[in-house]
């Protein structure tokens, strides 16, 4: 039997899984536009390591039912994001490994997805696995990227930093002292 050729951008999911096929490769991070858009301005995505990925189809036999269709998606790479503490670039390593179950219809996917740990998707004729991999990388990005310990001291430009507050405290009048003076009928400063 002739082995089928599969491409990730137009993946015939059902046959890929039934053949228990696998695909792997790598893409430049800058080719994944939404992923690259998360870059720190000082470190654009064209300087990031390539995204390595792997797809594996798996048929899971069941008693008294048709086999389940499963797809494993793995990806790894790195991204330079902006640290939310010091506003300098911070490198984040990303490793993703997810299983997706494919079922016959959107209704079946919605009902199973609510109770399953893994994601359940409706079977489509062609799946853009590249887009699916990019989605998983985006979901793996930290909500608040930051260094373990920032390489540079925090700048005092914010005005609300603790270092500034100690210096200003001596010069600012205490608002409660003013209120106390008003209650006594005395002059305020």
């Amino acid at each position: 039997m002739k082995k089928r050729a599969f491409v990730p951008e137009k993946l015939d999911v059902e046959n890929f899984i039934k053949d228990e096929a696998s695909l792997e490769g790598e893409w430049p991070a800058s080719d994944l536009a939404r992923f690259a858009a998360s870059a720190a301005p000082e470190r654009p995505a064209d300087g990031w390591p390539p995204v390595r990925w792997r797809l594996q189809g798996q048929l899971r036999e069941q008693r008294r039912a048709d086999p389940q269709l499963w797809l494993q998606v793995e990806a790894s790479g790195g991204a330079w994001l902006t640290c939310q503490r010091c506003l300098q670039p911070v490198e984040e390593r990303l490793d993703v490994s997810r299983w997706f179950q494919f079922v016959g219809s959107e209704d079946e996917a919605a009902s199973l997805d609510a109770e399953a740990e893994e994601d359940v998707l409706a079977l489509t004729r062609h799946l853009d696995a590249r887009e699916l991999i990019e989605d998983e990388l985006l979901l793996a990005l930290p909500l608040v990227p930051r260094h373990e310990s920032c390489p540079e001291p925090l700048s005092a430009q914010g005005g609300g930093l603790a270092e500034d507050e100690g210096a200003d405290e001596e010069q600012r009048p205490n608002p409660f002292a003013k209120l106390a003076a008003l209650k006594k009928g005395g002059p305020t400063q």
Side-chain angles (χ1 to χ4, degrees), residues 38-111:
S38 65
E42 304 87 350
R43 298 285 183 111
D46 56 3
W48 295 359
V51 171
R52 289 175 176 35
W53 57 271
R54 184 173 183 278
L55 302 171
Q56 176 66 52
Q58 185 181 73
L59 272 176
R60 294 185 185 171
E61 297 295 329
Q62 301 185 88
R63 270 193 204 165
R64 302 180 194 156
D66 291 335
Q68 293 178 337
L69 304 173
W70 289 86
L71 177 70
Q72 183 180 28
V73 175
E74 295 177 337
S76 64
W80 283 89
L81 309 173
T82 301
C83 172
Q84 297 301 300
R85 265 188 266 186
C86 67
L87 302 178
Q88 298 299 313
V90 58
E91 184 177 20
E92 296 287 346
R93 291 289 314 149
L94 304 170
D95 291 303
V96 174
S97 181
R98 299 278 311 246
W99 283 96
F100 295 91
Q101 181 183 4
F102 286 87
V103 295
S105 70
E106 289 287 341
D107 293 337
E108 186 180 358
S111 69

Side-chain angles (χ1 to χ4, degrees), residues 127-149:
L127 172 74
D128 188 346
R130 182 184 191 118
E131 192 174 289
L132 181 63
I133 290 166
E134 185 176 18
D135 288 345
E136 292 305 311
L137 288 169
L138 288 168
L139 289 170
L141 289 173
L143 291 175
V144 182
R146 59 180 178 220
H147 294 101
E148 286 287 323
S149 86

Side-chain angles (χ1 to χ4, degrees), residues 135-173:
D135 288 345
E136 292 305 311
L137 288 169
L138 288 168
L139 289 170
L141 289 173
L143 291 175
V144 182
R146 59 180 178 220
H147 294 101
E148 286 287 323
S149 86
C150 292
E152 295 181 23
L154 299 178
S155 68
Q157 293 175 351
L161 298 174
E163 298 164 7
D164 290 344
E165 287 177 16
D168 287 346
E169 248 180 65
E170 295 168 10
Q171 297 170 353
R172 277 188 283 171

